[in-house]
Every structure is written in C-alpha cells, then in structure tokens.
Amino acid sequence: MTVTPCDWPEPAPGAAPLPVMIGAQAGLELRILLRNGEQLLLTLIIPVLLLTAFSAEPLVSFGPGSRIDFLAPGILALAVMSTAFTSQAIATGFERRYGVLKRLGATPLSRRGLIAAKTATVAVVELAQAVVIIVVGLALGWNPHGGGAAIAWTVLLILAGTAAFSGLALLMAGTLRAEATLAAANLVYLVMLGTGGMVFPLSKFPPGTQSVLKLLPAGALSDGLRSVLEHGSGLPAGDLLVLAAWGAAGIALAVRTFRWE
C-alpha cells in the first residue's frame, strides 16, 4: 500500500494542555529527587532518626503524656517542612544557577505551571514520608487519637502546610542566588527545628514568645497536628488559618517575583 502525503495526520502545533504539562514536569521532578541521595537524607532519614532517637531518650522531658505521642505529630510537621521548604528551595535554587529554569522558561510551561508541578512532586514525597513515619511511630508505641475525623483534619493541615512552605521555598529560590538560598534554607530549617514545636514543646519557651511562634508556619503546623493527633481535638481553625495565610501570601509573591535565571 502506498502512503501519499494526504494520508499523513495534519500537524497540530501548539502547547499541550496545562494539566499534561504539569504532570510531565512533576514526573521529571520526582525522578530527579529519587536519584538525589542528599535530598532523600534530608526528607526521609533525618525525620525517622529524630523520631527514634528522641522517643528513646529519657533525659528529654516533653511534659505530661507519652513521649512518642508528642513526637510523632511534630516529626510529621518536620517532614513537611524538610520536603516542601528546605529540599525544594535548595533544588530550585541550583536549577536556576545551572540554567535549567532558563530553558524551561522558553517552553510553554508558565510560572504557575512550574509551581504546580513542584507542589505536586512535594505532595507525592510527603505521602511516602507520612507512611514511613506512621509505621515507625506505631512500632514505637504511638497511639494517635481523634478517630476518623483526625485523618481528615491531618490531611487538611498537611496540605495547608505544604502550600505555606512551598510558597516560601519558591519565593526564596526564585529571588536569591543559589549559594544564598542554600545557606538561608538550611539556617531556617535549623531555627524552625528548634523553635517550631516539632521536637521541643512550645511551652518550654517564654510565655511572650509562644504566641509569636504559633504564628509561624512551623509552629502552626506542629501545634495543629499535635492538637488533632495527640489530644483528639477538632479542627484547629486558628492554626489552619495561619497556614492558609502564609500559603496564599507566599505563592502569590512567588508567582509575581520568580525569575527563570
């Protein structure tokens, strides 16, 4: 059978639909992350090590109640911060430095599409983190409270926390040099680890600073998760509102100021 030019499909120039572009970019981001041992150390191994080490340390006082019941929600919050903020900020900052984002800027993928793809990648990694942390926590004797409603509130808090930390990460990586992003992201990680209520209770801080720390994304996320999973409370609307405000502000600024090069 002879194929004539009229039998060929007509070319269809133009960009793919936005969801397709976001899915393709998110798949690429995830493959790159899985090949990066340093990022896996930060996002998975360190939270698990902290959970096991502090749960077995009798010299550290976490107040009344079970040590593991206090730690597990905080380590979940730490996992969100390490993935959505620190890991994402560093990776994106060096993508800018090496010209990866400059090349993406020449494609139909918009700033919104890139941010959506990176956020989707973060959500997939966080799901894997949550599974590992929950399994380890349960093996160490964790007894989460709140029943079925707690699952819904936990997912909602983690989504809001992811948006808050992702917005800040992309705002930092899209405006600072790669070296400055690396230093700032690691500094913020250490500060939030110590002051965000993740491994040390906020009640250990002076009363005047506790309310301020709860207005930061790390403090709001750890406090909200602990309220739901340790105390079995309902939806912590105040903490959720804080995270939503940080997320909306961070993402809006990142979309407006993000530079491809």
Short mmCIF file of all heavy atoms in Angstrom, two decimals, residues 26-85:
data_model
loop_
_atom_site.label_atom_id
_atom_site.label_comp_id
_atom_site.label_asym_id
_atom_site.label_seq_id
_atom_site.Cartn_x
_atom_site.Cartn_y
_atom_site.Cartn_z
N ALA A 26 6.06 17.29 36.77
CA ALA A 26 6.07 16.68 38.11
C ALA A 26 6.75 15.32 38.08
O ALA A 26 7.51 14.97 39.00
CB ALA A 26 4.64 16.55 38.63
N GLY A 27 6.51 14.53 37.03
CA GLY A 27 7.17 13.24 36.91
C GLY A 27 8.68 13.39 36.80
O GLY A 27 9.43 12.62 37.41
N LEU A 28 9.13 14.38 36.04
CA LEU A 28 10.56 14.63 35.92
C LEU A 28 11.15 15.06 37.26
O LEU A 28 12.23 14.59 37.66
CB LEU A 28 10.80 15.71 34.86
CG LEU A 28 12.25 16.17 34.67
CD1 LEU A 28 13.12 15.01 34.22
CD2 LEU A 28 12.32 17.33 33.69
N GLU A 29 10.46 15.96 37.96
CA GLU A 29 10.94 16.43 39.26
C GLU A 29 11.07 15.26 40.23
O GLU A 29 12.04 15.17 41.00
CB GLU A 29 9.97 17.46 39.83
CG GLU A 29 9.78 18.70 39.00
CD GLU A 29 10.79 19.79 39.33
OE1 GLU A 29 11.51 19.62 40.33
OE2 GLU A 29 10.85 20.78 38.59
N LEU A 30 10.11 14.35 40.21
CA LEU A 30 10.13 13.22 41.14
C LEU A 30 11.30 12.29 40.83
O LEU A 30 11.98 11.80 41.74
CB LEU A 30 8.80 12.47 41.06
CG LEU A 30 8.61 11.32 42.05
CD1 LEU A 30 8.71 11.82 43.47
CD2 LEU A 30 7.28 10.63 41.82
N ARG A 31 11.56 12.03 39.56
CA ARG A 31 12.68 11.15 39.19
C ARG A 31 14.02 11.76 39.61
O ARG A 31 14.92 11.06 40.09
CB ARG A 31 12.66 10.88 37.68
CG ARG A 31 11.50 10.00 37.23
CD ARG A 31 11.71 9.51 35.81
NE ARG A 31 11.71 10.60 34.85
CZ ARG A 31 10.62 11.09 34.26
NH1 ARG A 31 9.43 10.61 34.57
NH2 ARG A 31 10.71 12.08 33.39
N ILE A 32 14.14 13.07 39.45
CA ILE A 32 15.38 13.73 39.85
C ILE A 32 15.56 13.64 41.36
O ILE A 32 16.67 13.38 41.86
CB ILE A 32 15.36 15.21 39.39
CG1 ILE A 32 15.42 15.29 37.86
CG2 ILE A 32 16.51 15.99 40.01
CD1 ILE A 32 15.24 16.68 37.31
N LEU A 33 14.49 13.84 42.10
CA LEU A 33 14.57 13.78 43.56
C LEU A 33 14.98 12.39 44.04
O LEU A 33 15.81 12.25 44.93
CB LEU A 33 13.22 14.18 44.17
CG LEU A 33 13.12 14.08 45.69
CD1 LEU A 33 14.11 15.04 46.35
CD2 LEU A 33 11.70 14.40 46.15
N LEU A 34 14.42 11.35 43.43
CA LEU A 34 14.72 9.99 43.86
C LEU A 34 16.16 9.59 43.56
O LEU A 34 16.69 8.66 44.18
CB LEU A 34 13.76 9.01 43.17
CG LEU A 34 12.28 9.13 43.58
CD1 LEU A 34 11.42 8.18 42.78
CD2 LEU A 34 12.11 8.86 45.08
N ARG A 35 16.80 10.29 42.63
CA ARG A 35 18.21 10.00 42.32
C ARG A 35 19.17 10.79 43.19
O ARG A 35 20.38 10.60 43.09
CB ARG A 35 18.48 10.32 40.84
CG ARG A 35 17.71 9.44 39.86
CD ARG A 35 17.85 9.97 38.45
NE ARG A 35 17.03 9.22 37.50
CZ ARG A 35 16.80 9.60 36.25
NH1 ARG A 35 17.33 10.73 35.81
NH2 ARG A 35 16.03 8.87 35.46
N ASN A 36 18.65 11.69 44.00
CA ASN A 36 19.49 12.58 44.81
C ASN A 36 19.56 12.07 46.24
O ASN A 36 18.61 12.21 47.01
CB ASN A 36 18.92 14.01 44.76
CG ASN A 36 19.90 15.03 45.30
OD1 ASN A 36 20.65 14.76 46.24
ND2 ASN A 36 19.89 16.21 44.72
N GLY A 37 20.67 11.47 46.60
CA GLY A 37 20.81 10.90 47.93
C GLY A 37 20.76 11.93 49.04
O GLY A 37 20.22 11.67 50.12
N GLU A 38 21.31 13.12 48.80
CA GLU A 38 21.29 14.16 49.83
C GLU A 38 19.86 14.60 50.15
O GLU A 38 19.51 14.82 51.31
CB GLU A 38 22.12 15.36 49.37
CG GLU A 38 23.61 15.04 49.22
CD GLU A 38 24.39 16.23 48.72
OE1 GLU A 38 23.76 17.28 48.47
OE2 GLU A 38 25.62 16.11 48.57
N GLN A 39 19.04 14.72 49.12
CA GLN A 39 17.67 15.13 49.34
C GLN A 39 16.88 14.05 50.08
O GLN A 39 16.06 14.33 50.95
CB GLN A 39 16.99 15.46 48.01
CG GLN A 39 17.64 16.60 47.24
CD GLN A 39 17.62 17.92 47.99
OE1 GLN A 39 16.72 18.19 48.75
NE2 GLN A 39 18.64 18.73 47.78
N LEU A 40 17.15 12.78 49.74
CA LEU A 40 16.47 11.70 50.44
C LEU A 40 16.88 11.65 51.91
O LEU A 40 16.07 11.34 52.79
CB LEU A 40 16.78 10.36 49.76
CG LEU A 40 16.17 10.16 48.37
CD1 LEU A 40 16.62 8.83 47.79
CD2 LEU A 40 14.65 10.22 48.44
N LEU A 41 18.16 11.95 52.19
CA LEU A 41 18.61 12.01 53.58
C LEU A 41 17.85 13.06 54.35
O LEU A 41 17.39 12.83 55.48
CB LEU A 41 20.11 12.31 53.61
CG LEU A 41 20.73 12.59 54.99
CD1 LEU A 41 20.73 11.32 55.81
CD2 LEU A 41 22.15 13.13 54.85
N LEU A 42 17.68 14.23 53.74
CA LEU A 42 17.00 15.33 54.41
C LEU A 42 15.52 15.05 54.59
O LEU A 42 14.94 15.35 55.63
CB LEU A 42 17.20 16.62 53.59
CG LEU A 42 16.49 17.88 54.08
CD1 LEU A 42 17.10 18.34 55.40
CD2 LEU A 42 16.61 19.00 53.04
N THR A 43 14.89 14.47 53.58
CA THR A 43 13.44 14.34 53.61
C THR A 43 12.93 13.10 54.32
O THR A 43 11.80 13.08 54.79
CB THR A 43 12.88 14.33 52.18
OG1 THR A 43 13.47 13.24 51.45
CG2 THR A 43 13.19 15.63 51.46
N LEU A 44 13.74 12.06 54.40
CA LEU A 44 13.24 10.80 54.96
C LEU A 44 14.06 10.30 56.14
O LEU A 44 13.51 10.02 57.21
CB LEU A 44 13.21 9.72 53.87
CG LEU A 44 12.58 8.39 54.26
CD1 LEU A 44 11.13 8.60 54.70
CD2 LEU A 44 12.65 7.40 53.10
N ILE A 45 15.36 10.20 55.98
CA ILE A 45 16.18 9.56 57.01
C ILE A 45 16.27 10.40 58.27
O ILE A 45 16.14 9.89 59.39
CB ILE A 45 17.58 9.25 56.44
CG1 ILE A 45 17.45 8.28 55.27
CG2 ILE A 45 18.48 8.66 57.53
CD1 ILE A 45 18.76 7.97 54.58
N ILE A 46 16.50 11.71 58.13
CA ILE A 46 16.64 12.56 59.32
C ILE A 46 15.36 12.57 60.17
O ILE A 46 15.44 12.41 61.40
CB ILE A 46 17.06 13.99 58.90
CG1 ILE A 46 18.51 13.97 58.41
CG2 ILE A 46 16.90 14.96 60.08
CD1 ILE A 46 19.03 15.31 57.95
N PRO A 47 14.16 12.76 59.59
CA PRO A 47 12.96 12.71 60.44
C PRO A 47 12.80 11.38 61.18
O PRO A 47 12.43 11.36 62.36
CB PRO A 47 11.82 12.94 59.45
CG PRO A 47 12.43 13.74 58.36
CD PRO A 47 13.82 13.20 58.23
N VAL A 48 13.08 10.26 60.51
CA VAL A 48 12.94 8.95 61.16
C VAL A 48 13.97 8.80 62.28
O VAL A 48 13.66 8.29 63.37
CB VAL A 48 13.08 7.82 60.12
CG1 VAL A 48 13.16 6.47 60.81
CG2 VAL A 48 11.91 7.85 59.16
N LEU A 49 15.19 9.25 62.04
CA LEU A 49 16.22 9.18 63.08
C LEU A 49 15.84 10.02 64.29
O LEU A 49 16.03 9.60 65.44
CB LEU A 49 17.57 9.64 62.52
CG LEU A 49 18.29 8.68 61.56
CD1 LEU A 49 19.58 9.30 61.04
CD2 LEU A 49 18.59 7.36 62.26
N LEU A 50 15.32 11.22 64.05
CA LEU A 50 14.90 12.07 65.16
C LEU A 50 13.76 11.42 65.94
O LEU A 50 13.72 11.47 67.18
CB LEU A 50 14.48 13.44 64.65
CG LEU A 50 15.60 14.36 64.16
CD1 LEU A 50 15.02 15.62 63.54
CD2 LEU A 50 16.54 14.72 65.30
N LEU A 51 12.83 10.82 65.24
CA LEU A 51 11.70 10.16 65.90
C LEU A 51 12.18 9.03 66.80
O LEU A 51 11.77 8.93 67.96
CB LEU A 51 10.72 9.63 64.85
CG LEU A 51 9.49 8.88 65.38
CD1 LEU A 51 8.63 9.80 66.23
CD2 LEU A 51 8.68 8.31 64.22
N THR A 52 13.04 8.18 66.28
CA THR A 52 13.51 7.04 67.07
C THR A 52 14.44 7.48 68.20
O THR A 52 14.37 6.95 69.31
CB THR A 52 14.22 6.03 66.17
OG1 THR A 52 15.28 6.69 65.44
CG2 THR A 52 13.26 5.43 65.17
N ALA A 53 15.31 8.45 67.93
CA ALA A 53 16.28 8.87 68.94
C ALA A 53 15.61 9.58 70.11
O ALA A 53 15.85 9.26 71.28
CB ALA A 53 17.34 9.78 68.31
N PHE A 54 14.74 10.54 69.82
CA PHE A 54 14.12 11.31 70.91
C PHE A 54 13.07 10.49 71.65
O PHE A 54 12.83 10.73 72.83
CB PHE A 54 13.50 12.59 70.36
CG PHE A 54 14.49 13.71 70.19
CD1 PHE A 54 15.14 13.90 68.99
CD2 PHE A 54 14.76 14.57 71.24
CE1 PHE A 54 16.06 14.92 68.83
CE2 PHE A 54 15.68 15.61 71.09
CZ PHE A 54 16.34 15.79 69.88
N SER A 55 12.45 9.54 70.98
CA SER A 55 11.46 8.72 71.68
C SER A 55 12.13 7.78 72.68
O SER A 55 11.49 7.32 73.63
CB SER A 55 10.65 7.89 70.67
OG SER A 55 11.49 6.96 69.99
N ALA A 56 13.41 7.50 72.49
CA ALA A 56 14.14 6.61 73.40
C ALA A 56 15.01 7.36 74.40
O ALA A 56 15.68 6.72 75.21
CB ALA A 56 15.02 5.66 72.58
N GLU A 57 15.02 8.69 74.34
CA GLU A 57 15.89 9.49 75.21
C GLU A 57 15.16 9.87 76.49
O GLU A 57 14.28 10.74 76.48
CB GLU A 57 16.35 10.75 74.47
CG GLU A 57 17.21 11.69 75.30
CD GLU A 57 18.37 10.98 75.97
OE1 GLU A 57 19.25 10.49 75.24
OE2 GLU A 57 18.35 10.89 77.21
N PRO A 58 15.48 9.24 77.63
CA PRO A 58 14.74 9.53 78.87
C PRO A 58 15.10 10.86 79.50
O PRO A 58 14.39 11.35 80.38
CB PRO A 58 15.16 8.37 79.78
CG PRO A 58 16.51 7.98 79.30
CD PRO A 58 16.49 8.20 77.81
N LEU A 59 16.21 11.48 79.06
CA LEU A 59 16.64 12.73 79.68
C LEU A 59 15.90 13.94 79.12
O LEU A 59 16.02 15.03 79.66
CB LEU A 59 18.15 12.91 79.47
CG LEU A 59 19.04 11.83 80.10
CD1 LEU A 59 20.50 12.13 79.81
CD2 LEU A 59 18.80 11.74 81.59
N VAL A 60 15.20 13.75 78.02
CA VAL A 60 14.46 14.86 77.41
C VAL A 60 13.01 14.81 77.90
O VAL A 60 12.33 13.80 77.75
CB VAL A 60 14.50 14.77 75.86
CG1 VAL A 60 13.74 15.94 75.24
CG2 VAL A 60 15.94 14.76 75.38
N SER A 61 12.56 15.92 78.47
CA SER A 61 11.20 15.98 79.01
C SER A 61 10.28 16.66 78.01
O SER A 61 10.57 17.75 77.52
CB SER A 61 11.19 16.76 80.34
OG SER A 61 9.87 16.95 80.79
N PHE A 62 9.17 16.01 77.72
CA PHE A 62 8.19 16.57 76.79
C PHE A 62 6.89 16.93 77.50
O PHE A 62 5.88 17.19 76.85
CB PHE A 62 7.90 15.58 75.66
CG PHE A 62 9.10 15.24 74.85
CD1 PHE A 62 9.74 14.02 75.01
CD2 PHE A 62 9.61 16.13 73.94
CE1 PHE A 62 10.86 13.71 74.26
CE2 PHE A 62 10.73 15.83 73.18
CZ PHE A 62 11.36 14.61 73.36
N GLY A 63 6.92 16.94 78.82
CA GLY A 63 5.71 17.25 79.56
C GLY A 63 4.89 16.00 79.83
O GLY A 63 5.35 14.87 79.62
N PRO A 64 3.66 16.19 80.29
CA PRO A 64 2.81 15.03 80.59
C PRO A 64 2.43 14.26 79.33
O PRO A 64 2.40 14.80 78.24
CB PRO A 64 1.58 15.67 81.25
CG PRO A 64 1.55 17.07 80.72
CD PRO A 64 2.99 17.46 80.54
N GLY A 65 2.13 12.98 79.52
CA GLY A 65 1.72 12.15 78.40
C GLY A 65 2.88 11.35 77.85
O GLY A 65 4.02 11.44 78.29
N SER A 66 2.57 10.54 76.84
CA SER A 66 3.56 9.67 76.24
C SER A 66 4.54 10.46 75.39
O SER A 66 4.16 11.39 74.67
CB SER A 66 2.84 8.62 75.37
OG SER A 66 3.76 7.94 74.56
N ARG A 67 5.81 10.08 75.45
CA ARG A 67 6.85 10.76 74.68
C ARG A 67 6.58 10.59 73.18
O ARG A 67 6.67 11.54 72.42
CB ARG A 67 8.22 10.18 75.06
CG ARG A 67 9.38 10.84 74.34
CD ARG A 67 10.72 10.22 74.73
NE ARG A 67 11.06 10.57 76.09
CZ ARG A 67 11.08 9.71 77.12
NH1 ARG A 67 10.72 8.46 76.91
NH2 ARG A 67 11.43 10.10 78.31
N ILE A 68 6.26 9.39 72.74
CA ILE A 68 6.05 9.15 71.32
C ILE A 68 4.77 9.83 70.83
O ILE A 68 4.71 10.28 69.68
CB ILE A 68 6.00 7.63 71.03
CG1 ILE A 68 5.98 7.37 69.51
CG2 ILE A 68 4.81 6.97 71.70
CD1 ILE A 68 7.21 7.83 68.78
N ASP A 69 3.76 9.95 71.67
CA ASP A 69 2.53 10.64 71.27
C ASP A 69 2.80 12.12 71.02
O ASP A 69 2.14 12.74 70.18
CB ASP A 69 1.46 10.48 72.35
CG ASP A 69 0.84 9.09 72.35
OD1 ASP A 69 1.12 8.32 71.41
OD2 ASP A 69 0.07 8.78 73.28
N PHE A 70 3.76 12.68 71.74
CA PHE A 70 4.14 14.08 71.49
C PHE A 70 4.99 14.19 70.24
O PHE A 70 4.81 15.11 69.44
CB PHE A 70 4.91 14.63 72.69
CG PHE A 70 5.50 15.99 72.44
CD1 PHE A 70 4.75 17.14 72.66
CD2 PHE A 70 6.80 16.13 71.96
CE1 PHE A 70 5.28 18.40 72.41
CE2 PHE A 70 7.34 17.38 71.69
CZ PHE A 70 6.58 18.52 71.93
N LEU A 71 5.93 13.27 70.07
CA LEU A 71 6.91 13.41 69.00
C LEU A 71 6.35 13.15 67.61
O LEU A 71 6.70 13.86 66.66
CB LEU A 71 8.08 12.46 69.25
CG LEU A 71 9.12 12.90 70.27
CD1 LEU A 71 10.08 11.77 70.56
CD2 LEU A 71 9.87 14.12 69.77
N ALA A 72 5.52 12.13 67.46
CA ALA A 72 5.09 11.71 66.12
C ALA A 72 4.43 12.84 65.33
O ALA A 72 4.78 13.06 64.16
CB ALA A 72 4.17 10.50 66.23
N PRO A 73 3.47 13.61 65.90
CA PRO A 73 2.90 14.71 65.12
C PRO A 73 3.94 15.77 64.75
O PRO A 73 3.90 16.33 63.65
CB PRO A 73 1.83 15.29 66.05
CG PRO A 73 1.51 14.18 67.00
CD PRO A 73 2.78 13.45 67.19
N GLY A 74 4.88 16.05 65.66
CA GLY A 74 5.91 17.03 65.36
C GLY A 74 6.84 16.57 64.25
O GLY A 74 7.26 17.38 63.41
N ILE A 75 7.15 15.28 64.22
CA ILE A 75 8.01 14.77 63.16
C ILE A 75 7.28 14.78 61.82
O ILE A 75 7.90 15.00 60.76
CB ILE A 75 8.50 13.36 63.51
CG1 ILE A 75 9.37 13.40 64.77
CG2 ILE A 75 9.29 12.76 62.36
CD1 ILE A 75 10.60 14.28 64.66
N LEU A 76 5.97 14.57 61.82
CA LEU A 76 5.20 14.72 60.58
C LEU A 76 5.31 16.15 60.06
O LEU A 76 5.48 16.39 58.86
CB LEU A 76 3.74 14.36 60.83
CG LEU A 76 3.38 12.88 60.86
CD1 LEU A 76 1.93 12.70 61.28
CD2 LEU A 76 3.63 12.22 59.50
N ALA A 77 5.22 17.12 60.98
CA ALA A 77 5.37 18.52 60.59
C ALA A 77 6.78 18.79 60.07
O ALA A 77 6.97 19.51 59.09
CB ALA A 77 5.06 19.43 61.78
N LEU A 78 7.78 18.20 60.72
CA LEU A 78 9.16 18.36 60.27
C LEU A 78 9.34 17.79 58.87
O LEU A 78 10.05 18.37 58.04
CB LEU A 78 10.10 17.67 61.24
CG LEU A 78 11.58 17.64 60.85
CD1 LEU A 78 12.15 19.05 60.79
CD2 LEU A 78 12.38 16.78 61.83
N ALA A 79 8.73 16.66 58.58
CA ALA A 79 8.83 16.05 57.26
C ALA A 79 8.26 16.97 56.19
O ALA A 79 8.83 17.11 55.10
CB ALA A 79 8.12 14.70 57.25
N VAL A 80 7.13 17.59 56.49
CA VAL A 80 6.53 18.54 55.54
C VAL A 80 7.49 19.70 55.30
O VAL A 80 7.71 20.11 54.14
CB VAL A 80 5.18 19.04 56.07
CG1 VAL A 80 4.63 20.16 55.19
CG2 VAL A 80 4.17 17.89 56.14
N MET A 81 8.06 20.25 56.37
CA MET A 81 8.96 21.39 56.22
C MET A 81 10.22 21.00 55.45
O MET A 81 10.67 21.74 54.56
CB MET A 81 9.35 21.94 57.59
CG MET A 81 10.26 23.17 57.50
SD MET A 81 10.75 23.82 59.11
CE MET A 81 11.93 22.56 59.62
N SER A 82 10.80 19.84 55.74
CA SER A 82 12.04 19.45 55.08
C SER A 82 11.83 19.24 53.59
O SER A 82 12.71 19.56 52.78
CB SER A 82 12.60 18.18 55.73
OG SER A 82 11.72 17.09 55.54
N THR A 83 10.68 18.72 53.20
CA THR A 83 10.41 18.46 51.79
C THR A 83 9.91 19.70 51.06
O THR A 83 10.43 20.08 50.00
CB THR A 83 9.37 17.33 51.64
OG1 THR A 83 9.86 16.17 52.28
CG2 THR A 83 9.11 17.02 50.18
N ALA A 84 8.86 20.32 51.61
CA ALA A 84 8.22 21.43 50.91
C ALA A 84 9.06 22.70 50.94
O ALA A 84 8.99 23.51 50.02
CB ALA A 84 6.84 21.71 51.52
N PHE A 85 9.87 22.87 51.98
CA PHE A 85 10.66 24.10 52.08
C PHE A 85 12.13 23.87 51.77
O PHE A 85 12.63 24.30 50.74
CB PHE A 85 10.50 24.74 53.46
CG PHE A 85 11.37 25.95 53.65
CD1 PHE A 85 11.08 27.12 52.97
CD2 PHE A 85 12.49 25.91 54.47
CE1 PHE A 85 11.89 28.24 53.11
CE2 PHE A 85 13.31 27.01 54.61
CZ PHE A 85 13.01 28.18 53.94
#
